[in-house]
Amino acid sequence: MIIAIDGPAATGKSTTAKGVAQQLGFIYLDTGAMYRCVTLAVLKEGVDIKNSDQLNDLLSKIDIDIKMEDGSYEIFLNSEDVSAEIRSPEVTRNVSAVSAVKEVRQAMVRHQRLIASKTDCVMEGRDIGTVVFPNAEFKFFLIADSYVRAERRRKDLQAIGEEKSIEELEEDIKRRDEYDSSREISPLKKAEDAIVIDTTYLSIDEQVSRIIEIINMKQ
């Protein structure tokens, strides 16, 4: 079974997907973290994302792994733990542009489909229910007020020692929403049969419970 959870940044997708996966005993796949890993590699290697040869060469050398360590998920890029590094402001500023590149999306979608073909999983991102797994058994689309999302993002940054104002973060979020929704390849879009959940006033536990309840009702 595949459960797709899509939506814009900071709506609670990752944490909610982790909780749903844990309760159901499914594998959790954070596709956003995968794109962040590619972005980090692009920045570190100084790769021009408009140069297909450079980009394909980099993609052929990238190994991304998501592991459960001491009760939390950690992201590894070529065997190096980059869980904190991929959440840096620099990666956040560049991830939308890197994610929009056809070669990047094709490589990541192949990897995501390969993982999901072997096991039950909860997968979250922006195009899971529309592009990666349009036939997913369950599709959810999370939304939330932009100010609340900015507050959530600020807490994430503070956890890794970064500081940014709510105003700046809200502008960043709105700009990214516009970019992700209007890009030509795999835009952020709600699948027609996706169930919308507004997380503005919901705790993570409430979000998880809402999704589990819907799944149990429909099975």
Side-chain angles (χ1 to χ4, degrees):
M1 179 189 292
I2 295 168
I3 299 170
I5 301 179
D6 289 310
T11 51
K13 298 189 305 296
S14 296
T15 312
T16 297
K18 290 174 189 175
V20 172
Q22 188 173 29
Q23 285 204 25
L24 295 176
F26 286 13
I27 291 295
Y28 159 68
L29 186 58
D30 182 352
T31 65
M34 295 172 70
Y35 286 106
R36 284 175 174 271
C37 280
V38 176
T39 303
L40 180 62
V42 164
L43 293 171
K44 282 188 169 182
E45 298 296 325
V47 169
D48 179 359
I49 60 174
K50 295 179 182 178
N51 186 315
S52 294
D53 290 338
Q54 284 187 23
L55 189 57
N56 284 324
D57 182 59
L58 178 71
L59 289 168
S60 71
K61 298 174 182 176
I62 284 180
D63 178 52
I64 298 170
D65 198 9
I66 302 175
K67 299 178 182 178
M68 173 72 87
E69 299 282 350
D70 298 324
S72 63
Y73 287 93
E74 295 182 354
I75 316 298
F76 291 81
L77 173 61
N78 296 335
S79 301
E80 179 187 354
D81 185 353
V82 293
S83 306
E85 202 171 357
I86 62 171
R87 304 294 172 185
S88 70
E90 186 180 16
V91 170
T92 299
R93 281 193 300 270
N94 289 278
V95 67
S96 286
V98 174
S99 301
V101 178
K102 180 177 68 174
E103 290 88 349
V104 174
R105 297 209 75 84
Q106 288 175 339
M108 293 301 100
V109 168
R110 282 195 300 270
H111 191 43
Q112 291 156 16
R113 287 175 174 164
L114 178 63
I115 293 171
S117 70
K118 301 174 182 178
T119 184
D120 295 322
C121 72
V122 180
M123 193 175 294
E124 60 90 4
R126 284 169 174 72
D127 63 346
I128 308 304
T130 55
V131 175
V132 185
F133 286 104
N135 296 319
E137 287 86 344
F138 291 95
K139 300 178 188 177
F140 298 93
F141 193 85
L142 274 51
I143 60 172
D145 175 79
S146 62
Y147 185 85
V148 171
R149 290 160 61 200
E151 288 183 318
R152 293 171 180 171
R153 181 64 78 213
R154 188 181 188 188
K155 288 179 182 177
D156 290 342
L157 289 176
Q158 287 173 336
I160 60 172
E162 302 282 350
E163 191 63 58
K164 230 179 169 184
S165 72
I166 291 292
E167 291 74 22
E168 284 180 288
L169 289 168
E170 190 171 15
E171 283 303 311
D172 287 348
I173 281 172
K174 289 178 179 178
R175 190 161 46 245
R176 185 169 181 191
D177 285 352
E178 175 61 27
Y179 188 97
D180 288 348
S181 300
S182 60
R183 69 189 180 202
E184 185 178 349
I185 301 170
S186 299
L188 167 66
K189 182 181 177 183
K190 183 186 83 67
E192 288 186 6
D193 53 344
I195 298 168
V196 177
I197 297 178
D198 189 336
T199 71
T200 302
Y201 302 109
L202 296 180
S203 68
I204 292 298
D205 286 345
E206 288 171 332
Q207 293 174 43
V208 172
S209 295
R210 182 79 56 88
I211 289 174
I212 295 291
E213 182 182 350
I214 291 169
I215 291 171
N216 288 337
M217 284 175 57
K218 295 201 171 190
Q219 279 189 310

